[in-house]
Amino acid sequence: MVTAEFLRSLAADVAAGRPVELSFDDFPCFTAKALEGRAHVTSAALAEISAGLTPADACVFERAAKAIDEGDLAWIGFKYVYDASAACENVDNEVTKKYGDRGSGCGDSFVFFCNDAKEIVCGREHSPRDIFQMKDATRGPAMHTEQFDGLTWLAVALFDKVRVWLLGASDASAEVAALAHHVDFDVVAVDYDPAYISEERFPNARRVLLGGGNFDELSSITANPADYACVLTRGHMFDPEACVWSIRNNLHYIGMMGCKGKNNTVHDLVLSKGGTEEGWERIKRPIGLKFGAKTPAELAIAIVAELVDERYKQNYSEAARAKHDSNLGR
């Protein structure tokens, strides 16, 4: 993730009119992989935006640095114009809210800041319709990027991803890894068998291979209390060890797959291995939202949907969630 120190240095260079070159490491929304399927923008857009930065843009990087210092839910976003005439002349459609007769505020690409409180910092001219799309940068990382002709929108988060530990390299775990990565979790998969914890099965996860043919080495790994854990060991063989580790690390969310009868057995084993009754009660069992999922892929949908919901509740107050639900008519 981009650092506050780097952003302050970048702001100073931009304010002084010195040339800067934004990198894919700091702004990965411009990598070829991130842009797959987006025909209107290529990785060359980042160099184009870098070359177009002016002292007016320094305020964006300064505000972004402050957001990181404060632990704010915030984003640096990019308006990328591929057809200036179309961007300025596009009009509202018959369905959505009206934003006036004006299209985009200017035909230039630019950088902006937006946080979850919908505070926008932008050093360039922008229209009400631009504001609408800048606010949508807060919706992971942008919604409706394809709505208006001539331009598109990209963004990078200024806060860390939630880390999810997949304890066990079962088929369900592999499906969860793919889907959790897709919705922007930081995924770590753990198992002792290299045939199951392979790159082919977990291409977008950090893989931890335990030695000894069991989960004993798991106890030497330390996790952050803000992390999540999904207990998905193959055949449930090492569910007790995975649960005890999750409890001892006091993880924010712990979920375990399995039926009631199996889980009663795991309960006794967890307590015999040093887990507590209080810790056991914190484990969501069975893991995942309830809607009849049975196959590994279906279970992954149920599990990751629950992870998304937990992240939502973790990031937003009850009042904010109620307002969101009301806006959606729920």
Side-chain angles (χ1 to χ4, degrees), residues 11 15 21 36 117-118 154 198 200 210 214-215 219 230 235 295 326:
E21 185 174 347
E36 286 179 358
K118 305 299 187 287
L154 306 97
S198 65
E200 289 76 15
L210 304 174
N214 54 43
F215 268 56
S219 62
C230 301
T295 69
S326 176

Side-chain angles (χ1 to χ4, degrees), residues 229-232 253-258 263 284-290 299 302-303 306-307:
C230 301
V231 178
L232 305 168
Y253 167 91
I254 310 168
M256 179 177 67
M257 187 168 65
N263 289 348
K284 173 63 166 50
R285 52 189 199 277
I287 191 173
L289 299 184
K290 183 179 178 180
L299 288 166
I303 292 167
E306 184 163 272
L307 298 180

